[in-house]
């Protein structure tokens, strides 16, 4: 085989890498990935558009790099053979530092401290274009101590400082550089708060001396109002993917603290959808990724998907770690979680008076047997069935038990599964039943109870799956059941 070795033309290579599609915010997030992978517990981000040479820099207290490690880090496609997969390893291609930095500036400097030794290398496009070779600038100790915030790095036991300068793209498009620069930095702070929100308790991130705010897109602390569905583990190529559906509290009931945790969005409508995490780092959100329909009724729905970095190729994760595609092999599992979240969202949005809590009396009970099998049974504790049992004699009760058992035994589980796979809408729901019809059902059910039992079961009926959404009409229904005189 005749092989011909070719060298990448530096100018063309750099021009292409600068156009991968990073925004200022995604570029900053990519650099923070490196800080977390280095084991940092504190990250300080500083910027000054009014300095003699405007800069943006990120300092971490991670493990740092010695000279050979720093030179490797400055390579395009740096050697990652010794990088093992774990929850703090957020790198992917060995391109992030270079491609992210050069997407925003013409020059970046990396200063790193390890074992009391400090080294600094810089990548300057002016030099590369002049020489048409990928030269790095090496700073002497005298030169590097003149760089901004190096004194803070020197005070650390170990760490790394990345400095961006020569912001040609911002200067070329800005009406006023200072205003555009500050706006981009502010936007990146909001982006970082969301992308790394699951690291808030373990890593402190500061912007110009002020810690970023805490974010929680699922409002996990709002117990009793926020709803969490069942966590579904899915195996993909021997690796576990976790899928968790959430439903936010009704929008008009959100407190100021809850709105702050959501990031004070103008509307929560835009943030509905899938939240895809790679090693706890948020990759993509605010979209159903062609898995659902964005609508006003679905605005409270959120579905968290946790994937390990070992499945990057399956999810077709891009260099920027800001987009991915759902593998066909697990779409059905995700659809089930989406439906769980969407149904709850629609119910809460349409019927805001409903107590936002888990239904305590469901029509169907899911029972896990000792051999691992799952059985679905019609609950015998729903008020309608309890009332019916009271009205029947022994023979009729036995007949009712036989009828219910037959319904349970011949549950069309395969047809339901196939309809879900074919994305067919199953119409077995009471969401489209007229409210007046449901109220009349309650009145009829309560008429079957003895007078001394009515009050007890009247209270229970609103925690059942069939009638929970009528909770806000409780007092009106009470008058229809007990008469105009309020029952005490």
């Amino acid at each position: 085989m005749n092989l011909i070795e070719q060298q990448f033309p530096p100018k063309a290579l750099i021009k292409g890498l600068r156009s991968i599609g990073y925004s200022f915010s995604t570029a900053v997030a990519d650099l923070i990935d490196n800080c977390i992978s280095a084991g940092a517990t504190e990250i300080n981000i500083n910027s000054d558009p009014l300095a003699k040479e405007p800069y943006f820099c990120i300092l971490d207290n991670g493990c740092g790099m010695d000279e050979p490690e720093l030179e490797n880090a400055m390579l395009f496609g740096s050697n990652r053979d010794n990088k093992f997969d774990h929850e703090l390893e957020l790198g992917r291609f060995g391109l992030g530092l270079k491609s992210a930095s050069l997407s925003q500036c013409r020059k970046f400097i990396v200063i790193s401290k390890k074992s009391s030794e400090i080294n600094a290398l810089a990548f300057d496009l002016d030099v590369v274009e002049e020489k048409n070779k990928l030269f790095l600038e090496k700073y002497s100790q005298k030169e590097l101590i003149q760089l901004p915030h190096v004194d803070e790095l020197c005070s650390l036991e170990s760490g790394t400082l990345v400095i961006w300068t020569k912001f040609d793209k911002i200067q070329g498009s800005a009406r006023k550089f200072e205003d555009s620069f500050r706006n981009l930095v502010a936007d990146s702070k909001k982006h970082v708060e969301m992308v790394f929100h699951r690291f808030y308790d373990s890593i402190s991130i500061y912007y110009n001396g002020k810690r970023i705010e805490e974010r929680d897109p699922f409002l996990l602390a709002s117990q009793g109002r926020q709803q969490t569905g069942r966590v579904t583990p899915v195996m993909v190529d021997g690796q576990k993917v976790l899928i968790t559906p959430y439903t936010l509290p009704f929008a008009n009931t959100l407190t100021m603290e809850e709105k702050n945790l959501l990031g004070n969005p103008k509307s929560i409508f835009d943030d509905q959808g899938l939240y895809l995490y790679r090693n706890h780092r948020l990759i993509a959100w605010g979209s159903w990724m062609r898995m659902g329909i964005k609508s006003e009724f679905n605005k409270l729905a959120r579905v968290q998907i946790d994937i390990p970095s070992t499945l990057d190729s399956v999810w077709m994760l891009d260099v920027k770690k800001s987009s991915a595609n759902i593998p066909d092999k697990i779409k059905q599992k995700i659809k089930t979680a989406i439906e769980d979240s969407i149904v709850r969202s629609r119910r809460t949005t349409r019927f805001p008076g409903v107590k936002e809590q888990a239904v305590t009396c469901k029509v169907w009970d899911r029972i896990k047997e000792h051999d691992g099998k799952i059985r679905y049974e019609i609950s015998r504790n729903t008020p309608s069935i309890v009332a019916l049992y009271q009205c029947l004699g022994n023979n009729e009760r036995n007949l009712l038990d036989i009828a219910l058992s037959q319904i349970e035994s011949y549950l069309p589980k395969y047809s339901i599964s196939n309809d879900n796979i074919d994305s067919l809408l199953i119409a077995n729901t009471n969401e489209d039943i007229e409210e007046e019809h449901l109220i009349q059902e309650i009145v009829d059910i309560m008429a079957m109870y003895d007078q001394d039992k009515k009050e007890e079961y009247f209270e229970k009926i609103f925690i059942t799956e069939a009638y929970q959404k009528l909770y806000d009409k409780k007092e009106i229904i009470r008058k229809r059941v007990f008469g105009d005189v309020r029952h005490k």
Side-chain angles (χ1 to χ4, degrees):
M1 183 182 296
N2 294 322
L3 301 176
I4 300 175
E5 182 179 359
Q6 290 189 322
Q7 298 293 329
F8 289 107
K11 287 185 180 180
L13 173 64
I14 299 300
K15 185 176 181 180
L17 286 172
R18 298 196 80 195
S19 304
I20 285 178
Y22 280 99
S23 66
F24 193 90
S25 295
T26 56
V28 172
D30 218 338
L31 264 62
I32 292 178
D33 287 341
N34 293 338
C35 301
I36 295 175
S37 296
T41 58
E42 184 173 310
I43 301 170
N44 282 278
I45 299 172
N46 291 281
S47 59
D48 189 353
L50 299 179
K52 183 177 181 181
E53 187 171 29
Y55 67 84
F56 178 91
C57 66
I58 298 179
L59 169 66
D60 71 65
N61 67 344
C63 61
M65 296 176 281
D66 57 26
E67 189 171 13
E69 291 170 329
L70 177 56
E71 290 181 4
N72 177 61
M74 298 294 276
L75 286 173
F76 286 94
S78 54
N79 185 350
R80 296 182 54 79
D81 290 344
N82 62 339
K83 302 292 184 181
F84 300 102
D85 179 63
H86 58 86
E87 62 180 12
L88 291 180
E89 181 51 56
L90 300 181
R92 173 148 161 71
F93 297 104
L95 287 171
L97 170 64
K98 288 74 64 176
S99 57
S101 298
L102 293 175
S103 71
Q104 304 304 315
C105 63
R106 290 184 63 82
K107 180 179 180 179
F108 72 93
I109 311 163
V110 182
I111 311 100
S112 197
K113 179 180 180 181
K114 185 175 184 179
S115 302
S116 301
E117 178 185 333
I118 300 179
N119 294 282
L121 293 175
F123 204 108
D124 191 336
L125 289 189
D126 292 339
V127 174
V128 172
E129 290 179 357
E130 178 186 349
K131 305 292 186 181
N132 199 24
K133 289 186 180 293
L134 296 177
F135 282 113
L136 297 175
E137 291 184 55
K138 186 173 182 179
Y139 281 65
S140 66
Q141 295 296 311
K142 185 177 181 180
E143 290 172 326
L144 69 84
I145 60 173
Q146 304 300 318
L147 297 171
H149 299 278
V150 166
D151 56 332
E152 297 171 33
L153 173 63
C154 292
S155 67
L156 299 175
E157 185 175 336
S158 63
T160 299
L161 172 65
V162 179
I163 304 172
W164 291 351
T165 62
K166 296 185 180 180
F167 299 96
D168 59 324
K169 291 188 176 182
I170 302 175
Q171 290 171 332
S173 61
R175 185 174 182 180
K176 185 178 180 182
F177 174 79
E178 179 187 348
D179 292 344
S180 295
F181 186 87
R182 292 188 189 280
N183 288 337
L184 288 171
V185 173
D187 288 343
S188 74
K189 176 177 175 290
K190 293 179 183 178
H191 183 79
V192 166
E193 287 171 342
M194 184 61 75
V195 169
F196 299 100
H197 74 90
R198 292 173 74 177
F199 294 88
Y200 188 83
D201 292 333
S202 58
I203 300 174
S204 300
I205 302 177
Y206 296 86
Y207 263 74
N208 293 316
K210 184 178 180 181
R211 191 177 184 189
I212 63 172
E213 295 185 41
E214 185 177 6
R215 296 286 178 254
D216 179 4
F218 311 117
L219 298 182
L220 298 179
S222 301
Q223 296 178 356
R225 297 171 60 247
Q226 175 267 11
Q227 301 171 57
T228 303
R230 182 188 305 153
V231 179
T232 303
V234 180
M235 298 306 294
V236 179
D237 294 349
Q239 302 294 318
K240 185 181 292 185
V241 174
L242 297 178
I243 306 170
T244 311
Y246 296 99
T247 306
L248 300 186
F250 182 60
N252 290 347
T253 70
L254 294 175
T255 65
M256 285 304 300
E257 182 181 3
E258 288 169 339
K259 290 178 181 178
N260 289 337
L261 286 172
L262 292 175
N264 294 303
K266 293 181 180 178
S267 170
I268 62 175
F269 175 90
D270 294 329
D271 290 337
Q272 65 181 275
L274 304 181
Y275 283 66
L276 179 63
Y277 294 84
R278 173 185 181 266
N279 287 357
H280 300 295
R281 189 253 209 219
L282 187 55
I283 298 297
W285 71 96
S287 165
W288 288 111
M289 297 184 186
R290 300 181 182 179
M291 295 287 290
I293 300 173
K294 204 165 210 177
S295 77
E296 183 67 19
F297 286 128
N298 299 345
K299 66 183 180 182
L300 305 179
R302 311 281 188 272
V303 178
Q304 175 179 311
I305 304 176
D306 282 294
I307 65 171
S309 55
T310 48
L311 293 178
D312 285 349
S313 59
V314 176
W315 287 79
M316 292 182 279
L317 193 71
D318 69 357
V319 174
K320 307 183 299 297
K321 298 191 288 290
S322 61
S323 67
N325 292 314
I326 300 173
D328 290 339
K329 62 180 76 176
I330 67 167
K331 278 187 176 181
Q332 182 52 43
K333 294 289 186 181
I334 296 176
K335 280 183 180 179
T336 302
I338 288 176
E339 186 62 26
D340 181 319
S341 186
I342 284 177
V343 167
R344 294 170 189 263
S345 175
R346 287 175 179 171
R347 184 186 300 130
T348 304
T349 302
R350 285 177 175 174
F351 308 103
V354 177
K355 281 187 175 180
E356 290 167 322
Q357 60 184 18
V359 177
T360 57
C361 186
K362 294 185 176 183
V363 174
W364 287 91
D365 290 328
R366 181 180 183 272
I367 300 170
K368 188 172 183 180
E369 298 182 337
H370 295 299
D371 59 2
K373 293 181 180 179
I374 300 298
R375 185 176 74 257
Y376 285 89
E377 289 184 352
I378 296 174
S379 174
R380 305 306 197 260
N381 295 320
T382 58
S384 58
I385 292 181
V386 171
L388 184 56
Y389 270 115
Q390 286 189 178
C391 298
L392 300 176
N394 289 333
N395 292 335
E396 290 84 358
R397 289 176 187 173
N398 289 336
L399 187 59
L400 176 58
D401 281 331
I402 292 171
L404 294 177
S405 296
Q406 286 182 348
I407 293 171
E408 293 164 347
S409 298
Y410 293 95
L411 183 71
K413 51 185 179 294
Y414 298 115
S415 295
I416 292 173
S417 178
N418 290 335
D419 288 340
N420 275 322
I421 291 173
D422 294 335
S423 299
L424 297 176
L425 182 62
I426 299 175
N428 294 64
T429 173
N430 72 344
E431 289 187 4
D432 297 323
I433 298 177
E434 292 289 335
E435 189 176 276
E436 176 57 33
H437 181 85
L438 295 175
I439 292 174
Q440 188 58 47
E441 283 186 6
I442 294 177
V443 173
D444 293 340
I445 291 170
M446 297 310 300
M448 296 181 184
Y449 284 103
D450 295 334
Q451 192 63 36
D452 61 341
K453 292 284 187 180
K454 276 190 178 182
E455 178 63 26
E456 176 187 350
Y457 280 96
F458 179 78
E459 292 296 328
K460 286 183 178 180
I461 207 163
F462 295 100
I463 60 172
T464 63
E465 194 168 24
Y467 303 111
Q468 190 189 34
K469 65 185 182 183
L470 293 176
Y471 183 84
D472 61 329
K473 301 291 192 302
K474 180 178 176 181
E475 294 308 316
I476 296 173
I477 299 171
R478 181 190 292 276
K479 291 180 180 179
R480 301 236 331 233
V481 170
F482 295 100
D484 290 335
V485 179
R486 287 183 63 87
H487 186 84
K488 295 184 180 180

